[in-house]
Amino acid sequence: MLTVALVDAQLELIPSSITNHVSVVRSARKRGKPAEKMLLDSSLHHSAMQKLPDANRRGRPDIVHVFIMLCLDSILNQMGELRCLVHTVNDQLITVAPETRIPRNYNRFVGLMEQLFEKKSVPEDSPLLTLREPISATDFVEECRCGGNRIVLFSERGREVRLSKYFKELKESSITCLVGGFPHGDFAEELYTLADDVLSIYPTNLKAWTVTAEILVNYKNALLS
Ligand SMILES: C[S@@+](CC[C@H](N)C(=O)[O-])C[C@H]1O[C@@H](n2cnc3c(N)ncnc32)[C@H](O)[C@@H]1O
């Protein structure tokens, strides 16, 4: 079983410190929704975000959207061999059930995530998406390890490997792969110390979805070989 987790995912509600900014007020009015119940999105709230710490890293629900779609539509998921998780910048852990049908349309995805932040599980009667908080990245990784998982962090700073060979030679059948859900910068240093392996799959810096696609396909091929 493979667990893929998007870590430090830049998925959060608009912080109260910028809800009165003109660009935020404008987008809230357009959606007919209180600003504090809306997702922060750098493509809409760029000017307001300049006041926030780590502004160039934040407000990227699109990374989470593509990540979840890749995971759910993968062959590995259809084989019942995948667990898909998102750990957010604010220490929230989102579990995505394998049978979830995630909206292809970005605006509908945003609406669904806003509902999840409010209700903590959607749909309420038989939840497919659940949000647990607070749980630190360290505790979340330790939980995966206690469940018998090898922890593999993907980073351009890691040991260069051919992923197909790495998965084929792996002794453990359960592993948790950690991929950064942020557009710039690096993981907290602590995550490097928690990982059993830190791997680089190419000499340049790749997008989170490129790395995720490589993991999903190479793990599936190793399983079937
Ligand atoms: C867009 S990158 C993160 C930002 C990047 N460090 C920067 O400063 O532009 C997203 C994630 O993809 C993974 N990644 C990127 N390049 C990689 C590589 N060459 N090998 C392994 N993982 C990589 C890492 O998990 C990284 O956190």
Side-chain angles (χ1 to χ4, degrees), residues 154-156 178-180 182-185 187 199-202 204-208 211:
F154 284 78
S155 163
E156 53 272 40
L178 308 175
V179 179
F182 41 84
H184 302 290
F187 294 104
L199 305 183
S200 164
I201 59 167
Y202 198 67
T204 62
N205 185 14
L206 304 167
K207 303 284 187 223
V211 177

Side-chain angles (χ1 to χ4, degrees), residues 151-179:
I151 309 297
V152 184
L153 182 80
F154 284 78
S155 163
E156 53 272 40
R157 283 169 50 191
R159 169 169 66 92
E160 259 192 57
V161 292
R162 199 132 48 84
L163 209 44
S164 52
K165 188 164 179 279
Y166 175 82
F167 283 141
K168 270 187 199 135
E169 290 173 354
L170 207 62
K171 302 277 179 294
E172 295 89 340
S173 55
S174 295
I175 74 166
T176 294
C177 292
L178 308 175
V179 179

Side-chain angles (χ1 to χ4, degrees), residues 22-88:
V22 61
S23 69
V24 174
V25 172
R26 198 184 309 124
S27 74
R29 199 172 296 145
K30 210 165 159 189
R31 298 232 2 240
K33 208 166 180 171
E36 60 277 10
K37 291 191 173 179
M38 285 174 22
L39 290 190
L40 184 70
D41 185 329
S42 64
S43 64
L44 297 172
H45 312 125
H46 181 77
S47 53
M49 285 174 62
Q50 298 319 303
K51 294 180 178 176
L52 298 175
D54 294 327
N56 71 340
R57 227 175 126 88
R58 294 171 69 174
R60 293 297 305 269
D62 59 305
I63 299 178
V64 181
H65 187 210
V66 178
F67 171 79
I68 295 179
M69 281 200 295
L70 264 176
C71 288
L72 291 177
D73 288 342
S74 66
I75 296 176
L76 201 60
N77 193 45
Q78 291 180 37
M79 290 166 63
E81 292 289 341
L82 181 69
R83 206 160 66 110
C84 170
L85 302 173
V86 176
H87 187 267
T88 78

